[in-house]
Amino acid sequence: MSVKAFAAKLFAKRIHAQTQKWANDPVATQEKVLASLLKTAAPTKFGKDHHFSSIKSHADFVQNVPVRDYEGLKPYVDLVVNGDENILWIGKPLYFAKTSGTTSGAKYIPLTAASMPFHIQAARNAILSYIHETGKADFVSGKMIFLQGSPILEEKNGIKLGRLSGIVAHFIPKYLQKNRMPSWETNCIEDWETKVNAIVEETFSKDMTVISGIPSWVQMYFEKLSAKGNKPVGEIFKNFNLFIYGGVNYEPYRAKFENLIGRKVDSIELFPASEGFFAYQDSQKEKGMLLLLNSGIFYEFIKATEFFTENPRRYTIGEVELNVNYVLIISTNAGLWGYNIGDTVQFTSLKPYRVIVSGRIKHYISAFGEHVIGKEVESALKEAMEGTNIRVNEFTVAPQINPKEGLPYHEWFIEFDSEVSEEPNNLEEFALRIDTAMRKQNVYYDDLITGNVLRTVVVTKVRQNGFQEYMKSQGKLGGQNKLPRLTNDRKIADLLASE
């Protein structure tokens, strides 16, 4: 065992003890976080406008601070972007994480001196948690890579801005700098395909032990590696045994990855966003990710079934239940208050509090009242593939409300991995397998099928690399961009169908 690996084990033990302390006292931990946030931000414009100094309880907070999304908070954010101080948080942000918006164009998410360290700390602690549980630490001596956006930053009124992953690249701890890949020059390449090709050339002969990134884009890296070496990734990188990912559910990709790698490797799931780092997988044995209750973020939860009603109840950590779909609402030390990030979560454990990301509140299908969510379509596809050699590269689902003939239906656009696996001999039979799995998960969907409101699923094949080409056509190839698993309209579907 190397000195670095031995030190990592000692550090992991210490961090585990610290984590257990707050995880075993969740309600009090969250109460302290809220009190600290309110006290610090009371002198800000937002704090004064919302009477922070008079808030003594969560009920007071709910009364004074409504739930908002980016559009609702935008008047305050615009002041911050213009260079004003003490608007949402004390002083000015260190950075803006610039993301693509909807009606407002670009979104500028503030990152402050108080919030930034937690992004780095959470990623570090996820790895340390893995080391503590498994005892595996030798990988820290090898090379590590995170497929991320360019670290080149712009500036707006004295505040630097860029993609979150590019900003984080400036905060890599010194003890990891020698192990980290790719090089700074390669990381700065903007064009994603050019960048991945350069990363393949740079890493091909290295002892890669940890690889991380959004699965869809790591898949592209693996495919190019395998093609270059004419052998599985696991033979190219013999000591590669840990894959770290976030952004999307790994399960639809797992079989494909194991085929590309040539063997199974351990994985750690993360739940990061520009708005905060919310959770990480703390156990290889238990389902879900540990919700980070002591990281400068106060959490509230609204049941997804109630979200669009008037004045839905906002639950705190001590009030949540298992297996209920909640919209995640956050208030943070970056100055986001009662903020709807758009993600939905379900709790898999209450001791400690672990969650899975179940989807997006805007990414669902409820054209007929079925309210199908991301977790359900991912699980249905996984079940449909069980016992077969069928592998899927990517997929998305949309409603077909006005078919040329017959009843309406849900249309699944699927890119099968025809290079290394079988495609369904009978698409209608495969569609029925998906449909059966969907009906078991969603009683509303089942009622619509039974009542002849909908007909069973229709599967439409997407040609090889069709989704990559679609993302490229939208200027969203690579980085932190993700294809929606499902939508309540046909904007994506119609583009795919027209090709």
Side-chain angles (χ1 to χ4, degrees):
M1 181 185 298
S2 68
V3 173
K4 186 178 283 190
F6 180 72
K9 283 191 173 186
L10 292 178
F11 193 25
K13 183 177 181 181
R14 179 177 141 204
I15 294 300
H16 176 74
Q18 293 176 1
T19 301
Q20 291 299 107
K21 190 173 181 180
W22 61 255
N24 289 331
D25 196 10
V27 174
T29 296
Q30 277 284 276
E31 287 174 349
K32 289 177 183 177
V33 168
L34 179 59
S36 175
L37 292 174
L38 293 171
K39 182 179 179 181
T40 304
T44 65
K45 176 174 174 52
F46 190 94
K48 292 174 181 176
D49 288 351
H50 295 79
H51 312 291
F52 277 13
S53 60
S54 66
I55 295 176
K56 306 300 180 187
S57 65
H58 178 245
D60 292 343
F61 183 73
V62 170
Q63 186 70 29
N64 288 12
V65 182
V67 171
R68 294 175 169 97
D69 58 12
Y70 186 82
E71 299 303 318
L73 203 63
K74 192 172 183 293
Y76 289 96
V77 177
D78 284 347
L79 294 175
V80 182
V81 172
N82 288 337
D84 292 1
E85 296 187 11
N86 303 318
I87 303 299
L88 289 164
W89 194 252
I90 295 297
K92 292 184 178 183
L94 288 180
Y95 300 93
F96 289 117
K98 187 179 180 182
T99 66
S100 56
T102 50
T103 57
S104 63
K107 293 165 61 177
Y108 297 91
I109 307 299
L111 297 166
T112 63
S115 72
M116 195 65 223
F118 287 109
H119 285 271
I120 312 305
Q121 187 182 98
R124 179 203 70 188
N125 289 356
I127 296 174
L128 292 173
S129 181
Y130 170 83
I131 291 172
H132 179 79
E133 182 190 28
T134 65
K136 300 174 183 177
D138 289 340
F139 65 85
V140 301
S141 300
K143 296 291 186 181
M144 307 178 187
I145 188 172
F146 178 64
L147 295 181
Q148 59 191 173
S150 171
I152 297 175
L153 304 179
E154 304 171 52
E155 194 167 298
K156 198 173 186 69
N157 294 323
I159 300 173
K160 292 183 178 179
L161 61 95
R163 298 173 185 168
L164 175 65
S165 61
I167 293 170
V168 169
H170 292 263
F171 288 83
I172 301 298
K174 287 184 179 180
Y175 59 83
L176 288 180
Q177 289 290 1
K178 290 183 179 180
N179 298 65
R180 177 178 172 271
M181 298 195 78
S183 65
W184 185 266
E185 292 74 20
T186 297
N187 218 14
C188 289
I189 297 173
E190 286 289 346
D191 181 75
W192 185 251
E193 289 179 288
T194 304
K195 182 173 185 170
V196 173
N197 288 332
I199 292 173
V200 168
E201 294 301 320
E202 197 169 283
T203 59
F204 186 79
S205 61
K206 303 298 183 183
D207 180 24
M208 304 300 300
T209 58
V210 178
I211 296 171
S212 59
I214 293 174
S216 51
W217 308 125
V218 175
Q219 178 180 317
M220 183 191 294
Y221 170 56
F222 281 174
E223 287 171 344
K224 290 178 180 292
L225 275 170
S226 186
K228 178 177 173 63
N230 198 28
K231 53 187 174 182
V233 172
E235 290 185 28
I236 298 170
F237 302 142
K238 297 186 184 299
N239 294 314
F240 166 48
N241 284 299
L242 183 59
F243 173 51
I244 303 173
Y245 68 94
V248 297
N249 186 1
Y250 181 40
E251 289 309 314
Y253 296 93
R254 190 178 293 276
K256 168 76 172 179
F257 269 52
E258 288 177 1
N259 185 276
L260 284 167
I261 297 166
R263 52 184 166 81
K264 293 184 177 181
V265 299
D266 287 348
S267 60
I268 302 174
E269 183 176 9
L270 310 178
F271 185 10
S274 299
E275 296 87 351
F277 203 124
F278 308 122
Y280 61 73
Q281 183 181 346
D282 68 318
S283 173
Q284 294 290 302
K285 301 171 185 175
E286 303 295 331
K287 184 179 181 181
M289 296 173 283
L290 182 70
L291 190 65
L292 303 180
L293 304 176
N294 195 36
S295 296
I297 302 171
F298 177 72
Y299 300 96
E300 296 173 282
F301 308 89
I302 298 176
K303 291 181 179 179
T305 54
E306 301 173 0
F307 184 75
F308 293 106
T309 63
E310 189 175 351
N311 297 319
R313 181 176 172 185
R314 292 155 66 174
Y315 296 85
T316 57
I317 194 66
E319 301 170 313
V320 296
E321 304 170 60
L322 294 174
N323 304 316
V324 173
N325 206 36
Y326 292 104
V327 180
L328 185 62
I329 308 298
I330 60 169
S331 297
T332 78
N333 54 8
L336 302 176
W337 302 101
Y339 189 84
N340 170 24
I341 66 168
D343 286 322
T344 58
V345 299
Q346 292 180 8
F347 284 89
T348 60
S349 166
L350 303 182
K351 291 184 179 180
Y353 285 93
R354 294 192 181 101
V355 297
I356 58 170
V357 181
S358 52
R360 299 277 294 169
I361 193 62
K362 291 182 179 179
H363 293 170
Y364 62 90
I365 297 178
S366 198
F368 308 92
E370 62 273 42
H371 207 88
V372 170
I373 62 174
K375 175 178 175 290
E376 292 169 345
V377 297
E378 289 170 346
S379 297
L381 182 60
K382 181 184 177 186
E383 185 174 328
M385 292 191 296
E386 285 176 358
T388 75
N389 290 321
I390 296 168
R391 299 292 178 263
V392 168
N393 283 336
E394 192 58 274
F395 75 99
T396 192
V397 189
Q400 177 51 273
I401 299 173
N402 298 305
K404 292 180 179 178
E405 56 181 290
L407 293 172
Y409 54 88
H410 286 185
E411 186 170 11
W412 288 57
F413 292 83
I414 302 178
E415 181 184 323
F416 295 99
D417 183 10
S418 60
E419 295 182 3
V420 296
S421 68
E422 296 177 356
E423 290 190 18
N425 293 324
N426 187 321
L427 273 184
E428 290 185 2
E429 182 181 311
F430 186 68
L432 188 59
R433 289 171 67 102
I434 293 174
D435 198 78
T436 301
M438 279 299 309
R439 293 177 68 176
K440 286 190 291 185
Q441 292 187 81
N442 188 309
V443 65
Y444 305 109
Y445 179 76
D446 182 56
D447 287 345
L448 291 168
I449 297 291
T450 303
N452 289 320
V453 176
L454 294 179
R455 64 181 166 112
T456 55
V457 158
V458 171
V459 172
T460 298
K461 281 176 58 176
V462 175
R463 69 175 184 274
Q464 289 293 296
N465 301 316
F467 282 109
Q468 283 187 20
E469 290 172 15
Y470 163 76
M471 293 294 279
K472 188 175 183 179
S473 73
Q474 302 299 302
K476 293 185 177 182
L477 185 66
Q480 292 173 279
N481 296 305
K482 296 160 284 188
L483 177 79
R485 286 279 184 246
L486 70 177
T487 55
N488 204 39
D489 56 43
R490 291 189 60 83
K491 290 178 182 177
I492 296 175
D494 288 343
L495 284 172
L496 291 170
S498 66
E499 293 182 351

